[in-house]
Amino acid sequence: MDQKKHKAFQFVDNHREEMVALWREVVTMESGPHEKAGIDAVAARFKQEFDKEGASSYLVNFEKAGNMLVAEFGKNRPEAGVIFLGHMDTACPAGAIAERPFTIKDGIAYGPGVLDMKGGIVAFLYAIKALHSIGYDSRRIKVLLAGDEEVLHANSSADEVLISEAKGYAAAFNTETGFVDNGIVVGRKGVARIMLEVKGIAAHAGNDPENGRSAILEIAHKIIAAQNLTDWEKGITYNVGVIQGGTTSTAVPDYAKIFIDVRYKDPDDLPGIIKQVEAVAAKTHIEGTTTQVAFMDGIKPMKTTEGVKQLFALVKEASEENGFGTPYAKYVGGGSDSAYTVLAGVPTVCAMGVKGGRNHSPEEYAIVETLFERAKLLVACVLKLGNA
């Protein structure tokens, strides 16, 4: 093994307890999707760590969303830079940390956001520290940490910041949830969220039903129509995940709404998706009802470009050379901010974080040893990128 790389790996091993302590600390800082104060506290804490390493850093403040952290090392280095990417918010509700405090049992860590994705941030922080410990100065290193990825940047312009900050960089590593099967994500579906809202006419269900116009019955027709838009061959799926309406079983309901989650592979498919949902909304099944459609927040697909494929090949080689197994290229349906670095023209690989499972659930877990393994793999990838 190259002497510098060996020293960097040794740095990681010498700081194992410190890494776990920071992991525990940030998991204990509650930062659910609507906990702005907690997300901002996590951002401030990581900013302290990056600043101690000599970063030029700043916070992008948002009024109604968790703040974003941008940090850069070696701004004047000649080589095109490397990005470490992630998010600080979790998908866990307020109070989750009290119910499920950070614990380690038999080499497995548990707790809200332990996998998605606070462990991944700690891993790349220590990869940066390890690189600095061997005097690495070849490429600029930039950190981009969003504070509202789990809510798809609904109340911020973080997606625009990601694209503008990423332009011109050579590679991006997103330390999102790592997979236990050693898959490295090279493509992700986009997410579109859509609301259909129906207004009908209320009436007494016993004395006056013929004069009512049921919003629930109308929305029921639209649920079936929306679900039937799914196109498995194109990889476009429609899921009506939420339905609301009515007040009591004794009244013909005058109001109902549904929320639709659409997953799609190609950004060019979105206009067609919008037209299809508009057609569903426009067709009236129960005379006297009206329907409105609202296209809400979403996230773009992560496209599998040639640059992405080449970067994955580099990661695969680095993993095999250093005894971390043979990863395979994985395509998944869940969205992430890797979409935006790819849109900025930056080859990106995703799911480079700690390995585990059950994220977005009370059973979320992460394999502790992979915290150190992934920090080392990131070091190896950056050093190998210098030789590419």
Side-chain angles (χ1 to χ4, degrees), residues 152-181:
L152 311 181
H153 312 304
N155 297 306
S156 80
S157 58
D159 52 347
E160 297 173 9
V161 176
L162 285 164
I163 292 172
S164 64
E165 288 287 344
K167 286 180 178 177
Y169 277 70
F173 301 93
N174 190 335
T175 57
E176 272 278 9
T177 299
F179 292 91
V180 293
D181 65 358

Side-chain angles (χ1 to χ4, degrees), residues 179 181-186 311-321 323-330 350-352 355 373-374 377 381:
F179 292 91
D181 65 358
N182 221 10
I184 299 294
V185 171
V186 298
L311 184 59
F312 168 75
L314 180 146
V315 172
K316 183 180 178 182
E317 287 181 10
S319 183
E320 291 173 338
E321 288 170 357
F324 302 138
T326 301
Y328 72 96
K330 191 179 184 80
C350 198
M352 292 284 290
K355 298 177 185 177
E373 175 190 303
R374 283 297 165 90
L377 177 58
C381 288

Side-chain angles (χ1 to χ4, degrees), residues 1 5-13 322 324 376 379-380:
M1 183 185 295
K5 184 169 63 177
H6 175 75
K7 286 183 177 179
F9 283 11
Q10 192 63 52
F11 178 94
V12 173
D13 286 333
N322 293 285
F324 302 138
K376 292 176 183 177
V379 166

Side-chain angles (χ1 to χ4, degrees), residues 111-158:
V114 70
L115 176 68
D116 187 14
M117 57 167 286
K118 291 177 178 176
I121 301 173
V122 173
F124 80 62
L125 165 64
Y126 276 82
I128 293 171
K129 288 175 178 281
L131 287 165
H132 286 171
S133 75
I134 59 172
Y136 178 84
D137 61 0
S138 298
R139 295 179 183 268
R140 300 189 304 278
I141 296 175
K142 181 175 279 187
V143 172
L144 298 174
L145 286 174
D148 62 342
E149 189 265 2
E150 295 290 3
V151 292
L152 311 181
H153 312 304
N155 297 306
S156 80
S157 58

Side-chain angles (χ1 to χ4, degrees), residues 138-270:
S138 298
R139 295 179 183 268
R140 300 189 304 278
I141 296 175
K142 181 175 279 187
V143 172
L144 298 174
L145 286 174
D148 62 342
E149 189 265 2
E150 295 290 3
V151 292
L152 311 181
H153 312 304
N155 297 306
S156 80
S157 58
D159 52 347
E160 297 173 9
V161 176
L162 285 164
I163 292 172
S164 64
E165 288 287 344
K167 286 180 178 177
Y169 277 70
F173 301 93
N174 190 335
T175 57
E176 272 278 9
T177 299
F179 292 91
V180 293
D181 65 358
N182 221 10
I184 299 294
V185 171
V186 298
R188 291 179 178 271
K189 287 188 177 182
V191 184
R193 295 206 294 187
I194 305 166
M195 181 183 72
L196 294 187
E197 187 175 46
V198 174
K199 293 183 180 179
I201 300 173
H204 192 287
N207 297 336
D208 194 26
E210 66 275 12
N211 289 318
R213 298 293 182 268
S214 173
I216 287 180
L217 183 55
E218 177 68 19
I219 210 81
H221 286 283
K222 288 176 163 56
I223 289 171
I224 295 170
Q227 292 281 165
N228 285 339
L229 293 173
T230 291
D231 187 329
W232 295 109
E233 288 187 8
K234 288 186 177 180
I236 303 174
T237 59
Y238 292 73
N239 179 64
V240 179
V242 176
I243 178 171
Q244 300 172 350
T247 55
T248 173
S249 63
T250 62
V252 176
D254 65 353
Y255 181 80
K257 67 179 175 181
I258 57 174
F259 292 90
I260 308 169
D261 176 293
V262 186
R263 305 283 166 141
Y264 61 103
K265 289 183 175 181
D266 193 324
D268 293 337
D269 289 333
L270 187 57

Side-chain angles (χ1 to χ4, degrees), residues 300-319:
K300 300 290 187 183
M302 175 193 175
K303 295 190 73 172
T304 309
T305 64
E306 284 303 313
V308 169
K309 293 176 183 178
Q310 291 170 14
L311 184 59
F312 168 75
L314 180 146
V315 172
K316 183 180 178 182
E317 287 181 10
S319 183

